[in-house]
């Protein structure tokens, strides 16, 4: 099945095959019928007109058709066979063909949609994206989104977000979060940037978690109900028990994936054996005065399991010293959390 883009390319060649000549009545009528059949047809055809307005000779427009057909064959055949045909095709196109192919790639990579948003403390924002995907931004979070004709990309710069991604076999959906790259076709999942790690929780579908820019390195496929984590040195990854930094490879962890959705969807914050760093970062998204941890996760300190309603964050902080071996101290415009074994004078910024 051809796409509207490929059909537009073929119609463009058909309507401009004879330079300077008007298309026949039959061609013009068929072209008008095709244009009126779907709004995407007119949009794609107009894009070709704009891109190739200076490529009006027959050899150059035929070079465009060759490029389009080569791209279609590459999607349908194996990578090796596609590469072979691509090399032979480029060799036969000559200078005009190479210019056409370069213009085609630039058109494919041009930005068709861009959006940058950040949420305030305690705020959640629902964003409807042009491909029918829905992005829910958690509190105190920030994203940047960019769509091209062959890629859908989001950068989670801070905080957490829930993604309900519409399936598009021609355009993967990628999220960069620190050192992590998450790739999907269509699924529902959350991404949470915490001190020293990125956590991905999947409700349905399949998500690939990998180290950004590390081609050939192991990646992790997460299925429905699974949770994966990847150390994030860009956010200050915590050292392990031996003092060495954790290997920046993704790993599957035993957690309930549903816990990650409850915070964004219902304002119910769930901690599952969470360290003080995770607790401090999470609570800071829901209150004006930030919460800081005196020790990094992975360097000791209590592990806490609790569920906290967004309206009960202050009560939870007040009760924390009674339910865990934690000292809470107000200092330097922040609320500091430290293991009870840490003396007050040793509570300092990390």
């Amino acid at each position: 099945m051809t796409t509207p883009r490929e059909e537009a390319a073929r119609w463009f060649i058909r309507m401009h095959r004879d330079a300077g000549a008007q298309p026949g009545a039959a061609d013009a009528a068929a072209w008008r019928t095709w244009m009126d059949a779907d709004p995407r047809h007119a949009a794609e055809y107009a894009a070709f007109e704009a891109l190739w307005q200076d490529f009006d000779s027959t050899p150059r427009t035929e070079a465009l058709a060759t490029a389009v057909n080569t791209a279609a064959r590459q999607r349908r055949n194996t990578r090796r066979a596609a590469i072979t045909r691509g090399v032979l095709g480029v060799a036969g196109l000559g200078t005009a063909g190479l210019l056409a192919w370069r213009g085609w790639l630039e058109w494919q990579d041009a930005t068709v949609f861009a959006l940058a948003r950040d949420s305030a403390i305690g705020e959640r924002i629902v964003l409807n994206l042009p491909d029918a995907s829905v992005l829910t931004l958690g509190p105190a979070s920030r994203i940047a989104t960019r769509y091209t004709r062959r890629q859908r990309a989001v950068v989670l710069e801070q905080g957490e977000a829930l993604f309900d991604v519409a399936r598009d076999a021609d355009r993967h959906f990628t999220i960069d979060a620190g050192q992590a790259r998450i790739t999907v076709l269509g699924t529902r999942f959350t991404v949470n940037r915490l001190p020293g790690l990125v956590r991905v929780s999947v409700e349905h579908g399949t998500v690939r978690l990998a180290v950004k820019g590390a081609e050939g390195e192991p990646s992790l496929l997460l299925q429905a109900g699974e949770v994966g984590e990847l150390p994030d040195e860009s956010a200050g990854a915590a050292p392990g028990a031996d003092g060495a930094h954790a290997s920046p490879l993704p790993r599957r962890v035993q957690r309930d994936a549903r816990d990650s959705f409850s915070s964004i969807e219902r304002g119910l914050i769930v901690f599952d054996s969470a360290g003080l760093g995770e607790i401090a970062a999470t609570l800071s998204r829901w209150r004006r005065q930030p919460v800081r941890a005196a020790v990094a996760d992975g360097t000791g300190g209590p592990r806490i399991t609790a569920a906290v309603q967004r309206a009960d964050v202050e009560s939870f902080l007040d009760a924390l010293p009674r339910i865990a071996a934690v000292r809470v101290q107000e200092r330097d415009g922040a609320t500091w959390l430290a293991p009870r074994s840490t003396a007050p004078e040793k509570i300092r910024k990390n």
Side-chain angles (χ1 to χ4, degrees), residues 38-62:
D38 189 324
R40 294 176 298 173
H41 293 173
E44 294 289 357
Y45 192 89
F48 275 106
E49 287 277 13
L51 180 63
W52 303 110
Q53 57 186 343
D54 59 346
F55 279 67
D56 54 3
S57 70
T58 299
R60 286 172 175 172
T61 50
E62 288 179 347

Side-chain angles (χ1 to χ4, degrees), residues 6 10 66-77 85:
E6 292 166 352
R10 294 191 178 98
T66 301
V68 173
N69 289 330
T70 299
R73 288 197 302 272
Q74 287 175 335
R75 288 197 299 270
R76 292 193 297 266
N77 296 281
R85 280 194 299 274

Side-chain angles (χ1 to χ4, degrees), residues 301-332:
R303 292 281 170 173
I304 297 170
T305 298
V308 185
Q309 292 285 353
R310 58 180 296 187
D312 297 332
V313 168
E314 299 305 321
S315 298
F316 174 71
L317 282 170
D318 290 341
L320 196 53
R322 299 193 298 273
I323 62 177
V326 177
R327 186 189 306 277
V328 179
Q329 181 183 17
E330 302 293 333
R331 188 171 71 83
D332 298 334

Side-chain angles (χ1 to χ4, degrees), residues 43-196:
E44 294 289 357
Y45 192 89
F48 275 106
E49 287 277 13
L51 180 63
W52 303 110
Q53 57 186 343
D54 59 346
F55 279 67
D56 54 3
S57 70
T58 299
R60 286 172 175 172
T61 50
E62 288 179 347
L64 168 60
T66 301
V68 173
N69 289 330
T70 299
R73 288 197 302 272
Q74 287 175 335
R75 288 197 299 270
R76 292 193 297 266
N77 296 281
T78 64
R79 174 178 291 184
R80 184 173 182 178
I83 291 174
T84 301
R85 280 194 299 274
V87 171
L88 293 176
V90 169
L93 285 176
T95 303
L98 289 174
L99 289 173
W101 182 246
R102 179 181 178 183
W104 170 260
L105 292 178
E106 290 176 353
W107 181 72
Q108 287 278 75
D109 290 333
T111 300
V112 296
F113 171 78
L115 174 69
R117 288 295 300 271
D118 60 315
S119 56
I121 293 172
E123 180 186 25
R124 290 166 289 175
I125 301 175
V126 177
L127 303 173
N128 294 299
L129 303 180
D131 62 338
S133 297
V134 180
L135 189 161
T136 305
L137 196 59
S141 302
R142 184 169 62 250
I143 59 98
T145 303
R146 178 177 180 265
Y147 280 22
T148 69
R149 292 177 176 85
R150 62 177 178 175
Q151 184 183 28
R152 300 174 290 172
V154 174
V155 178
L156 180 61
E157 299 174 357
Q158 175 182 305
E160 60 181 332
L162 187 161
F163 299 86
D164 194 346
V165 177
R167 185 173 182 82
D168 185 342
D170 291 330
R171 293 191 300 173
H172 285 188
F173 194 105
T174 63
I175 302 99
D176 287 347
Q179 290 185 293
R181 169 158 292 178
I182 301 99
T183 306
V184 302
L185 284 176
T187 182
R188 193 167 191 265
F189 61 101
T190 65
V191 181
N192 192 358
R193 292 195 67 177
L194 293 164

